[in-house]
Amino acid sequence: MVVDFKWKKSPAYRVASLSWKGPWNERRIRTEFGRVAKWARARGLRTGRWIFREPGTRTWEVSIELRGPARSEGPIRVRTFPACSVASVVFDPDVVSPAVVYHGVSDWLRWRKRDKTIRSIGAYRELYDRDPWRDARAWSRTEVQVVVRR
């Protein structure tokens, strides 16, 4: 499998999201994704990409793209991630270790910053086409994006 980094323009995503603070816990991540999906299903909303972010230290956020009008309700916030430039890599976590991919993209970006190709590096986010726990194809096409300012 070829893993290559590339620059691209990420579209704006209108999402329903939940966030929390605490240690990294895959079980909690899966549970929170399930809560957001259940909330969207109960309102008859079509969904798109599943997005996982760490916007701050030990702060976690799960989001599901919405296709249709919706309003925030209770702990679930509806918001928009603006369109932006990103460094992107698509890989299969069963073939290539995520630690290797994250290390590689962070080093690649550090060198792009050093040679003045980019000005700053923002938050990392993982994108899946659908539920990665139920759809092997979505899991095998994990996309890691890093927001950059050129």
Side-chain angles (χ1 to χ4, degrees):
M1 169 176 223
V2 175
V3 176
D4 199 12
F5 310 123
K6 64 181 178 179
W7 302 114
K8 73 182 212 180
K9 181 80 170 175
S10 176
Y13 293 108
R14 183 170 161 75
V15 299
S17 63
L18 271 173
S19 61
W20 69 96
K21 285 184 178 269
W24 187 89
N25 183 333
E26 186 170 345
R27 188 177 190 177
R28 173 104 191 246
I29 294 166
R30 185 176 183 173
T31 301
E32 300 301 348
F33 264 127
R35 283 180 63 193
V36 176
K38 184 177 176 184
W39 177 87
R41 247 190 331 272
R43 281 142 192 82
L45 298 168
R46 292 181 324 139
T47 60
R49 302 195 84 179
W50 291 44
I51 303 167
F52 174 69
R53 299 183 337 134
E54 181 185 9
T57 306
R58 294 173 55 100
T59 301
W60 313 99
E61 183 176 271
V62 295
S63 306
I64 298 179
E65 182 183 16
L66 299 176
R67 297 189 175 136
R71 289 183 175 254
S72 297
E73 228 177 272
I76 297 179
R77 286 182 40 203
V78 175
R79 51 189 252 158
T80 301
F81 296 148
C84 57
S85 294
V86 295
S88 173
V89 59
V90 177
F91 69 103
D92 182 350
D94 292 331
V95 176
V96 179
S97 169
V100 171
V101 171
Y102 275 95
H103 180 73
V105 76
S106 66
D107 280 355
W108 185 70
L109 288 171
R110 187 171 354 136
W111 281 99
R112 297 299 71 81
K113 191 172 177 185
R114 188 172 286 174
D115 68 15
K116 309 264 191 249
T117 305
I118 59 175
R119 287 192 279 177
S120 66
I121 301 167
Y124 286 71
R125 58 190 181 193
E126 291 180 14
L127 287 86
Y128 307 95
D129 291 331
R130 290 173 292 280
D131 182 351
W133 289 278
R134 292 190 177 165
D135 188 342
R137 181 165 159 73
W139 177 252
S140 69
R141 298 199 31 81
T142 299
E143 181 177 2
V144 173
Q145 291 183 352
V146 184
V147 178
V148 295
R149 203 168 119 214
R150 294 176 130 190

